[in-house]
Amino acid sequence: TDIDVRLTVTERAGMHEYRFRESENQYVILDLLHRDKLLEHDVQFLSDTEITGKRYSSAWATKQMLYFYIKTSHPIKNWNRKYVTTPEIEALELDNPDNEPVTIKIGISPVDEEGAKRNLEAEIGDKDFDTIKKEANNAWEKQLHKIVIVDDNHDNKVNFYSALYHTMIAPNLYQDVDGRYRGMDLEIHETQDFDYYTVFSLWDTYRAAHPLYTIIEQKRTNDFINTFTAKYEEGGIMPIWDLSGNYTGCMIGYHAVPVIADAYMKGIRDYDVDLAFEAMKHSATRDKLGLDSYKSLGFIPVELESESVSKTLEYAYDDWTIAQMAQELNKPDDYKTYIQRAQYYKNLYNPATGFLQGRMRNTWFAPFKPEEVNFNYTEANAWQYSLYTPQDISGHIKLMGGNAAYEKHLDKMFSASMETSGRHQADITGLIGQYAHGNEPSHHMAYLYNYVGKPHKTQEKVYEILTSLYHNAPDGVSGNEDCGQMSAWYVLSSLGFYPVTPGSNQYIIGTPLFDKATINLENGKQFTIEKHGDGKYIASAKANSQPYYNSHITHNLIMNGGTLAFEMSKEATDWGTAQENWPVSSIKDELFITPPFIEKGKIAFADSTVIHLNQVNENSTMFYSRDESAWQEYNKPITLYNAGTLSVIARNGDKKSPVVTTSFYKYDKDMKVTLNHSYANEYSAGGNDALIDGMRGTDDFRSGAWQGTQNEDLDVVIDLGNPRTISSVEVGFLKDQRSWIFWPKTVTFEFYNEHGEMVKNINRNIPETGKEEVSKVFRPRLETPDIQDKIKFIKMKATTYGKLPKWHLGYPLDGTSWIFIDEINVN
């Protein structure tokens, strides 16, 4: 029989229960929240010096298998002993009477125990510790020698080589010495043609880490892309954030796509190009994560998908890289499709604010605060995403009103208050104004001044970031390293350039940090960057001894070898300011017409609403259709008196925008709502009238229709205007305990007549939210057949759960619950 020994502990991931089973010679860790197997070890002693086994984990969204094989230098005493009760800790007692140094050699494999043994024998074998240490040292010396720095500043050199080292920790090799690996389908595969990798933090690393690899890791870049296509064939889609050979469902976009396109455009092509392009298009043609709306409308509406702004913008850039590769492959139809999709960022430009904003029911998400961190953006706010159009910076500048307006926006971002509002977001760190260097969406922004002819401002900001946000200290990086992206920014920027638009073969010049830096290329050539003189400003430059005026360089300039030399100045200069020397990122083909948006007017109204349309297109005519009637040209505001739909479209000759249809709601004009509690701005659902506007929320709290209140009871008064007979009242609440959203404990309705006298009081207990990690809507309905009086006022109070329960992940943080409410329907 099994003998269970249980120990319950608290860890960051929650409450776990450890169970040790003697008969199976293993221990199992159960997650108390899921009652699911979280971690399992199977251990077998083969002899007095050999141990083998398997570690299995199904934590979070991944299923990980790690097999191991261990050899000890000395025999294990009683290695084949049996226990009546399995001990909580298995200690290895070694037979070592002379107290000699003990060596333990461990081989690991994602495939099986035999693979772990073969890996140990091939990679360690009979070598002693000092030999392995020397080999590891030599391997790292070879890696770090790919870029050689000459500088008198010791801290700068430590920062640089720490950063270069960080860029080389991931991705990780994920196959055995015989070429076998466990694929995304968890089956065993084998390849002799390339090395198979895992841990691709692509939302982060496509920006700078992978472009760095195209310079110093070209062979591995081919392996990475061969890995992507293998994962596509094994699992049905290329990874977005791949961990331990698993899809994780983490982060946004499909950023394996720009990694492939960037490599291909740079001539790195040792993989099945047709298969890679097929996988790229496959990633862009799914219907999940907002892609269905993105494909049909040209943007993702707030009410249909969370993080809609960030997803729209990231998809648009990814699509541009597909277009670049399609053009190189002579696929005109694909080029047309994806170069149009690359312009979808325009659909989120609000000319009234100059920001890229959430489009909710074809209006702009409101109230809008650019510093607010809300569910429209991924780990960021409007400041940190409104300059993410690297594929068409010229087009974005034009939308914003020209170079001066774009420059002014940049200046305001870097000088704005560092305070954010809304949701707490631990990733927003390393702030300079609202520029957040500690998180990836900001990483290209300091270089955008070059695009408006102000390279000295880029030089100022890049130098400030290099010297103030990276330190020779244990906490010397200003944000999450994110598998090398934070450090890749430092490596490239300290050399003097950065890839604002991977896929363009262009790097934007910032300011060099070192006296001399030499890149030892895989083709045997060297590219050297030299800095002469003091100061952070560039006075002049020479490429291979010839005067160089552009504030950008090409990938070929680096790969052909040679020297790029800068003369520095302590004062700003006019180097790189002539317009012919600016970098250009521009889409000129298949220009896209954006659909009109509702500039003014209410989606839900009591009597009538006046709808004003607007657009960002030039020379386009707007049309509208009421309840699917014939199209009419829009030349004045539209007055709506009834609920229904309004469809809009823009036309310019034979070109037309997508059709966007909005549903309008009408509620009782005599009803008024007073809230005696507060709600969060980012979860306003449109304001006070949200509770009677007829718009219901989905089971996603980020859909924009839910009104959220934290750590406060709801206290609502509804004035019905004219006294009337009431037959029922219904209210909607949401639960999502993982997001700290709990159903209230109780709901109380009080009914008052026109004299202010309470006629009826009804209390309703609400089901427990519970530990189950699901989102669910509960709409308690209260029948009131016994109320004969005519009612003038209804008061509703909902009691908050308050402090999170002890079993909740937020309890150690003194977390308090939210109440999310959408509608109070009075019949």
Side-chain angles (χ1 to χ4, degrees):
T1 59
D2 285 359
I3 301 175
D4 279 2
V5 180
R6 303 186 183 185
L7 170 67
T8 302
V9 299
T10 303
E11 294 186 354
R12 280 186 67 189
M15 295 293 292
H16 299 156
E17 181 178 279
Y18 291 69
R19 292 188 179 182
F20 302 87
R21 298 176 183 165
E22 179 231 351
S23 62
E24 300 174 18
N25 196 20
Q26 67 177 225
Y27 65 84
V28 178
I29 302 178
L30 298 181
D31 186 334
L32 294 184
L33 299 183
H34 298 81
R35 309 306 302 173
D36 187 20
K37 187 179 294 183
L38 186 67
L39 182 67
E40 177 181 312
H41 274 194
D42 286 316
V43 180
Q44 183 179 4
F45 292 87
L46 301 178
S47 70
D48 63 352
T49 59
E50 296 174 287
I51 309 170
T52 189
K54 166 187 171 184
R55 176 188 184 275
Y56 173 84
S57 168
S58 59
W60 301 99
T62 67
K63 293 185 178 295
Q64 305 164 20
M65 284 179 249
L66 181 66
Y67 298 85
F68 55 87
Y69 177 79
I70 301 174
K71 291 190 71 173
T72 63
S73 58
H74 293 72
I76 302 169
K77 289 184 178 180
N78 301 321
W79 64 272
N80 58 347
R81 64 194 179 279
K82 300 293 184 181
Y83 291 105
V84 175
T85 302
T86 303
E88 295 180 5
I89 297 175
E90 180 66 65
L92 301 182
E93 186 179 358
L94 303 178
D95 188 0
N96 186 15
D98 297 327
N99 197 29
E100 298 168 325
V102 173
T103 301
I104 297 179
K105 301 178 179 181
I106 305 174
I108 59 174
S109 166
V111 179
D112 55 26
E113 295 169 16
E114 281 300 312
K117 183 177 181 179
R118 279 193 290 269
N119 291 342
L120 185 147
E121 291 172 344
E123 297 176 338
I124 298 178
D126 295 329
K127 298 172 186 175
D128 60 19
F129 179 84
D130 289 335
T131 300
I132 294 296
K133 178 183 176 183
K134 183 177 181 181
E135 288 181 354
N137 186 72
N138 291 340
W140 277 111
E141 284 293 332
K142 181 179 179 181
Q143 278 296 116
L144 298 178
H145 191 72
K146 292 189 174 186
I147 305 178
V148 178
I149 298 300
V150 177
D151 198 83
D152 293 332
N153 188 309
H154 174 75
D155 285 346
N156 284 349
K157 289 198 288 186
V158 171
N159 291 344
F160 180 86
Y161 283 108
S162 296
L164 190 59
Y165 163 72
H166 289 168
T167 68
M168 296 172 177
I169 296 173
N172 307 147
L173 193 64
Y174 201 63
Q175 70 180 41
D176 290 348
V177 292
D178 58 6
R180 295 184 305 150
Y181 65 89
R182 192 173 295 276
M184 301 300 263
D185 52 6
L186 300 183
E187 300 296 327
I188 298 173
H189 302 266
E190 183 176 346
T191 177
Q192 303 297 330
D193 299 326
F194 64 91
D195 288 337
Y196 188 90
Y197 284 83
T198 190
V199 186
F200 290 98
S201 180
L202 291 165
W203 182 80
D204 309 291
T205 55
Y206 83 90
R207 304 169 195 266
H210 280 283
L212 173 64
Y213 301 149
T214 65
I215 299 173
I216 63 173
E217 299 286 358
Q218 293 197 327
K219 179 185 181 302
R220 282 193 173 93
T221 295
N222 281 314
D223 287 341
F224 297 156
I225 296 173
N226 278 308
T227 297
F228 291 161
T229 57
K231 292 176 186 288
Y232 164 64
E233 293 188 304
E234 295 153 10
I237 193 169
M238 288 196 295
I240 295 174
W241 209 123
D242 161 293
L243 180 64
S244 296
N246 286 260
Y247 297 111
T248 64
C250 183
M251 302 315 295
I252 66 170
Y254 29 86
H255 296 314
V257 166
V259 172
I260 297 172
D262 187 42
Y264 183 83
M265 297 298 289
K266 292 172 178 175
I268 302 173
R269 302 176 180 179
D270 190 11
Y271 45 86
D272 186 332
V273 172
D274 291 335
L275 178 61
F277 191 68
E278 172 192 315
M280 292 166 72
K281 290 203 300 179
H282 180 85
S283 297
T285 51
R286 302 306 89 201
D287 287 329
K288 61 181 182 179
L289 301 174
L291 273 170
D292 49 349
S293 302
Y294 172 83
K295 290 182 296 181
S296 62
L297 299 176
F299 66 95
I300 302 172
V302 169
E303 68 272 18
L304 296 182
E305 182 79 15
S306 62
E307 303 172 34
S308 61
V309 178
S310 297
K311 288 175 181 176
T312 298
L313 299 179
E314 302 267 7
Y315 290 153
Y317 163 73
D318 291 344
D319 288 343
W320 177 82
T321 67
I322 298 176
Q324 302 315 294
M325 195 160 166
Q327 190 172 48
E328 288 293 306
L329 293 173
N330 193 27
K331 296 180 181 291
D333 291 341
D334 288 329
Y335 175 74
K336 178 179 179 180
T337 296
Y338 289 100
I339 203 65
Q340 285 184 340
R341 285 172 53 160
Q343 301 168 65
Y344 284 177
Y345 75 90
K346 297 176 182 178
N347 290 324
L348 300 186
Y349 179 73
N350 183 355
T353 65
F355 285 88
L356 299 171
Q357 291 179 225
R359 201 157 162 170
M360 183 173 177
R361 295 184 170 89
N362 209 24
T363 65
W364 299 112
F365 180 82
F368 174 69
K369 297 180 179 180
E371 74 279 3
E372 181 177 270
V373 181
N374 58 39
F375 54 86
N376 295 325
Y377 304 94
T378 302
E379 298 181 4
N381 60 22
W383 277 115
Q384 292 141 23
Y385 251 110
S386 284
L387 291 171
Y388 186 79
T389 60
Q391 72 277 19
D392 188 24
I393 296 171
S394 295
H396 192 188
I397 290 172
K398 185 176 180 181
L399 283 179
M400 293 187 70
N403 296 333
Y406 193 80
E407 180 186 358
K408 183 179 179 180
H409 185 97
L410 277 167
D411 290 343
K412 288 179 66 176
M413 178 188 66
F414 280 110
S415 61
S417 168
M418 292 191 292
E419 296 297 320
T420 61
S421 63
R423 296 169 55 200
H424 171 67
Q425 181 54 259
D427 299 272
I428 299 177
T429 57
L431 287 167
I432 302 175
Q434 284 291 318
Y435 172 89
H437 190 72
N439 209 23
E440 281 67 24
S442 291
H443 274 189
H444 67 295
M445 292 181 181
Y447 289 89
L448 294 176
Y449 284 111
N450 283 24
Y451 292 84
V452 293
K454 298 298 174 64
H456 74 277
K457 290 189 176 182
T458 285
Q459 293 154 26
E460 289 172 354
K461 297 306 179 189
V462 170
Y463 184 83
E464 180 180 358
I465 297 166
L466 284 169
T467 56
S468 68
L469 295 178
Y470 292 85
H471 303 284
N472 179 8
D475 61 347
V477 179
S478 63
N480 188 337
E481 178 60 73
D482 285 321
C483 296
Q485 169 60 27
M486 286 293 295
S487 287
W489 188 97
Y490 185 89
V491 169
L492 290 167
S493 294
S494 66
L495 294 176
F497 51 86
Y498 185 82
V500 168
T501 312
S504 67
N505 290 4
Q506 189 178 77
Y507 303 91
I508 309 308
I509 292 175
T511 185
L513 189 61
F514 305 111
D515 295 335
K516 184 177 180 181
T518 300
I519 304 174
N520 294 304
L521 302 167
E522 289 180 12
N523 61 15
K525 298 178 181 179
Q526 291 182 324
F527 182 70
T528 299
I529 303 101
E530 296 178 353
K531 182 183 75 169
H532 303 287
D534 297 325
K536 58 192 171 190
Y537 299 104
I538 297 173
S540 64
K542 288 185 177 181
N544 299 320
S545 302
Q546 298 300 312
Y548 194 82
Y549 304 105
N550 293 334
S551 61
H552 54 92
I553 60 173
T554 64
H555 183 72
N556 284 339
L557 179 68
I558 297 172
M559 300 312 296
N560 289 335
T563 301
L564 180 63
F566 295 100
E567 293 290 336
M568 308 305 293
S569 169
K570 293 182 179 180
E571 303 293 335
T573 73
D574 62 357
W575 176 86
T577 57
Q579 189 158 359
E580 62 268 23
N581 303 130
W582 302 1
V584 175
S585 169
S586 178
I587 296 176
K588 298 179 180 179
D589 300 332
E590 304 294 340
L591 295 182
F592 173 78
I593 298 179
T594 68
F597 56 85
I598 297 171
E599 186 175 50
K600 293 181 182 178
K602 293 184 176 181
I603 303 301
F605 53 92
D607 189 13
S608 63
T609 183
V610 179
I611 303 301
H612 297 249
L613 301 181
N614 204 346
Q615 62 177 334
V616 297
N617 307 301
E618 293 181 347
N619 305 317
S620 292
T621 303
M622 295 183 286
F623 295 84
Y624 69 94
S625 168
R626 183 79 172 103
D627 296 326
E628 300 183 359
S629 61
W631 289 100
Q632 301 180 58
E633 183 176 342
Y634 175 81
N635 47 40
K636 65 178 182 179
I638 309 161
T639 302
L640 303 179
Y641 295 97
N642 299 303
T645 61
L646 182 71
S647 300
V648 297
I649 192 172
R651 298 178 184 272
N652 186 352
D654 59 352
K655 292 185 177 181
K656 60 183 180 180
S657 75
V659 175
V660 178
T661 300
T662 305
S663 295
F664 287 80
Y665 303 84
K666 188 172 183 178
Y667 56 87
D668 192 330
K669 66 180 180 180
D670 294 325
M671 291 177 62
K672 295 180 181 179
V673 175
T674 301
L675 303 183
N676 297 314
H677 63 270
S678 57
Y679 55 80
N681 183 73
E682 68 268 31
Y683 303 119
S684 70
N688 287 9
D689 291 342
L691 301 190
I692 58 169
D693 64 8
M695 291 186 282
R696 290 189 170 192
T698 67
D699 58 5
D700 184 350
F701 73 93
R702 298 163 294 190
S703 62
W706 291 101
Q707 193 171 90
T709 298
Q710 187 177 27
N711 197 30
E712 191 176 351
D713 293 342
L714 303 189
D715 188 348
V716 182
V717 178
I718 299 176
D719 182 349
L720 300 178
N722 298 318
R724 62 191 75 181
T725 302
I726 302 299
S727 61
S728 67
V729 179
E730 184 185 76
V731 60
F733 297 109
L734 176 72
K735 74 169 183 177
D736 184 350
Q737 66 91 349
R738 189 175 182 86
S739 301
W740 301 19
I741 301 169
F742 279 57
W743 285 335
K745 289 182 177 180
T746 61
V747 176
T748 300
F749 281 94
E750 297 175 353
F751 299 87
Y752 294 82
N753 61 24
E754 60 184 321
H755 304 297
E757 300 167 340
M758 188 169 68
V759 174
K760 184 75 173 178
N761 178 300
I762 301 177
N763 293 314
R764 177 71 180 268
N765 289 323
I766 305 296
E768 284 282 341
T769 295
K771 301 177 182 180
E772 188 181 14
E773 291 191 4
V774 296
S775 298
K776 189 174 181 179
V777 178
F778 181 58
R779 299 190 184 279
R781 182 181 180 90
L782 298 134
E783 304 292 342
T784 58
D786 57 336
I787 299 181
Q788 302 301 318
D789 298 50
K790 291 187 176 182
I791 301 303
K792 176 75 162 63
F793 300 98
I794 299 175
K795 292 184 179 181
M796 187 214 75
K797 294 184 179 181
T799 307
T800 180
Y801 192 96
K803 185 174 174 59
L804 295 171
K806 290 184 178 181
W807 55 260
H808 196 276
L809 295 175
Y811 178 81
L813 306 174
D814 294 325
T816 54
S817 63
W818 289 74
I819 297 179
F820 271 57
I821 181 173
D822 62 352
E823 283 296 301
I824 301 176
N825 292 319
V826 181
N827 301 301

